[in-house]
Amino acid sequence: MKRLMILAAPALLLGACSQNTQDQTANAADAVAGDANATLQNAVGDVGAATDDAFGSAERSMDNAGAHADAAGDRLSNSADRVGDRLSDHADRAGDDIANAADRAGDATGNALVRAGNAIRH
């Protein structure tokens, strides 16, 4: 019962006030409600802007990561090309060395046969 009287007291007191006081109280309540609404709208706008900033930052980070991955892929491709070129150069040199060795072996075999033929003739 005491609680009901405590809650009802401001309404009863306001009813006992003059019309001017009641109007001023209503205007003050409207101003407080307007301020609360403006504050809420600002908060919603701030949250929206912060969300947009966060998504923009995430998008830029993903774009940067993609660019770095592309650059790494390009570097890897270039390195693979250089390795391929070096392997080709070494294979060419090895082939030349084998051909030269085969020529020398053929010459040595031919010379040995000539000497053997001369030895048989004499």
Side-chain angles (χ1 to χ4, degrees):
M1 182 71 166
K2 286 183 182 180
R3 288 185 187 163
L4 181 61
M5 288 184 8
I6 290 173
L7 294 174
L12 292 174
L13 291 175
L14 188 58
C17 293
S18 68
Q19 184 61 42
N20 185 32
T21 303
Q22 290 179 9
D23 290 343
Q24 288 177 355
T25 303
N27 288 339
D30 287 343
V32 168
D35 288 345
N37 187 34
T39 300
L40 179 61
Q41 291 299 322
N42 286 338
V44 168
D46 291 346
V47 168
T51 301
D52 289 344
D53 288 346
F55 281 130
S57 178
E59 184 178 16
R60 284 188 299 279
S61 294
M62 290 175 63
D63 288 344
N64 289 339
H68 287 295
D70 287 345
D74 290 344
R75 287 192 303 274
L76 180 61
S77 177
N78 291 338
S79 294
D81 287 345
R82 284 193 304 275
V83 167
D85 291 345
R86 287 180 186 155
L87 285 174
S88 179
D89 290 344
H90 287 291
D92 288 345
R93 279 190 231 135
D96 291 344
D97 290 344
I98 291 169
N100 290 337
D103 286 345
R104 285 192 305 273
D107 290 345
T109 302
N111 290 337
L113 289 173
V114 168
R115 282 192 304 272
N118 287 338
I120 292 175
R121 267 192 247 150
H122 294 273

